[in-house]
Amino acid sequence: MLVLRRDRQCWEDRAFRELPSFLGPGDCLALNDSRVFPSRLYGYRKGFGGKVEVFLVRPIAPERREWEALVRPGRKMRVGEVICFGGRLEAEIVSRSGHGQRVLRFFGDSDLYAEFEKLGDVPLPPYLKRPDDPEDRERYQTVFARERGSVAAPTAGLHFTPEMLEACRTSGADIAYVTLHVGLGTFQPLHEEQLTSGRLHPETYSIGSESRERIRAAQRLIAVGTTSVRTIETAALTGRECGETELLIAPGFEFRRTGALLTNFHLPRSSLLLLAAAFAGRDLVMRAYEHAVSSRYRFYSYGDCMLIL
């Protein structure tokens, strides 16, 4: 764990097991409890044959029968085509949306999440370059994941074990849970129009009443992961404890509630790195990243982390 100190403009090499030593009474950890579901489906074009890969992004209708999705091969898949996934699960492409996405409407009235659990694959990060296996259904989750809906894990939370959570409580820190269902807004590379508009792809968020009170009572709020930051800051900005957020946090953003941040190391051209630079300052973050590279810190989802104080 690389610890950045904004007030001194410096950093130090520590270990994640030391996190509780940085916490005390009046602190509150905000954890994203969203749970990853098997959102990658494979099927074939009805009437044509040929393998089709569908990566579900998010439901866009109250009854959750219509979903935004990425479809491969995208150029061949036209509006009106039907994709068969096995069993009786079928979906029709009803429209196109931005950046190569499609809107799919699933037929029937079956429990879609139950179907996804049976037929879907865990959406592992592509750099792992391997198919998912049964263990990934729990391994690619935080230990506190509860609310189903993410297509990628909120990776800063993967560092925690039940024992570490208890050690944080023993240090005097409180714990609050927020929910942001990770979608394209979090992990896709930034597009020029997003930088211009200051908005990401919408993602659903919520904060329950108990966690809301713990957040309000905190003297210092430590956000675990960029998704927790975006949830907290969206609620502080809008006054709404649930809804959709398109918030893009970039240098110049005024943080209203986030007092510290635990986050992984992120790739260039990502909204995640932009948020870290907004919180700690671009110069400090870039110098710290150079140190992390030279010191062989691990990047990506299963990598090391950075605590920004």
Side-chain angles (χ1 to χ4, degrees):
M1 179 173 72
L2 186 64
V3 178
L4 271 65
R5 298 186 181 273
R6 293 178 293 168
D7 56 347
R8 304 181 204 166
Q9 291 290 291
C10 65
W11 58 78
E12 54 190 283
D13 299 303
R14 304 293 286 266
F16 179 71
R17 64 178 176 272
E18 299 175 79
L19 175 64
S21 68
F22 293 94
L23 306 175
D27 287 337
C28 180
L29 289 169
L31 306 169
N32 183 5
D33 65 359
S34 183
R35 185 172 182 83
V36 179
F37 72 99
S39 56
R40 182 170 279 117
L41 302 173
Y42 295 95
Y44 63 91
R45 301 168 68 196
K46 190 171 186 176
F48 295 93
K51 190 174 182 180
V52 177
E53 178 183 340
V54 171
F55 183 60
L56 299 170
V57 175
R58 67 183 188 115
I60 58 172
E63 70 278 8
R64 296 178 179 265
R65 306 305 296 185
E66 291 191 2
W67 285 70
E68 283 188 352
L70 299 174
V71 179
R72 294 182 182 178
R75 292 182 179 179
K76 291 184 179 180
M77 303 302 295
R78 298 185 174 90
V79 172
E81 286 205 48
V82 173
I83 304 171
C84 304
F85 296 104
R88 292 184 294 175
L89 187 64
E90 297 183 349
E92 179 186 1
I93 299 176
V94 296
S95 66
R96 294 172 176 261
S97 55
H99 304 297
Q101 298 172 56
R102 304 289 191 274
V103 174
L104 274 61
R105 181 186 296 125
F106 285 89
F107 299 135
D109 57 2
S110 62
D111 181 340
L112 285 182
Y113 279 114
E115 296 287 352
F116 300 156
E117 291 290 340
K118 287 190 298 184
L119 300 172
D121 287 6
V122 176
L124 294 178
Y127 64 81
L128 290 180
K129 297 181 180 179
R130 67 170 177 83
D132 67 317
D133 56 45
E135 288 76 20
D136 289 314
R137 297 202 172 210
E138 292 303 322
R139 189 164 49 196
Y140 192 53
Q141 305 280 8
T142 63
V143 296
F144 43 81
R146 295 182 296 190
E147 302 296 330
R148 181 173 53 191
S150 280
V151 300
T155 54
L158 293 175
H159 299 279
F160 287 85
T161 62
E163 293 76 17
M164 175 56 76
L165 291 173
E166 187 56 37
C168 292
R169 290 189 181 97
T170 301
S171 73
D174 204 352
I175 292 178
Y177 295 99
V178 302
T179 303
L180 183 139
H181 293 315
V182 182
L184 296 181
T186 294
F187 67 84
Q188 264 199 340
L190 287 170
H191 299 286
E192 187 64 36
E193 60 266 33
Q194 291 173 320
L195 292 170
T196 302
S197 67
R199 295 186 305 184
L200 296 173
H201 192 279
E203 294 169 312
T204 303
Y205 76 93
S206 63
I207 306 175
S209 57
E210 182 178 340
S211 288
R212 191 182 316 151
E213 293 307 314
R214 293 183 178 187
I215 289 170
R216 286 175 180 167
Q219 297 174 25
R220 182 177 65 162
L221 191 59
I222 300 98
V224 176
T226 59
T227 57
S228 294
V229 175
R230 291 179 59 234
T231 304
I232 293 161
E233 295 298 329
T234 296
L237 186 65
T238 64
R240 296 192 293 271
E241 307 299 338
C242 63
E244 288 190 339
T245 180
E246 298 175 291
L247 182 62
L248 172 63
I249 296 178
F253 179 82
E254 179 184 350
F255 289 87
R256 291 162 173 78
R257 287 298 287 123
T258 307
L261 169 62
L262 180 77
T263 185
N264 282 20
F265 291 95
H266 307 298
L267 294 176
R269 291 188 55 80
S270 69
S271 63
L272 315 174
L273 181 55
L274 204 61
L275 187 153
F279 189 68
R282 183 183 183 280
D283 180 63
L284 178 60
V285 167
M286 291 299 99
R287 289 189 291 117
Y289 265 55
E290 289 176 4
H291 170 76
V293 171
S294 64
S295 300
R296 303 180 69 84
Y297 276 75
R298 294 170 299 172
F299 280 46
Y300 306 121
S301 299
Y302 290 118
D304 296 311
C305 60
M306 180 167 61
L307 176 64
I308 305 174
L309 301 172

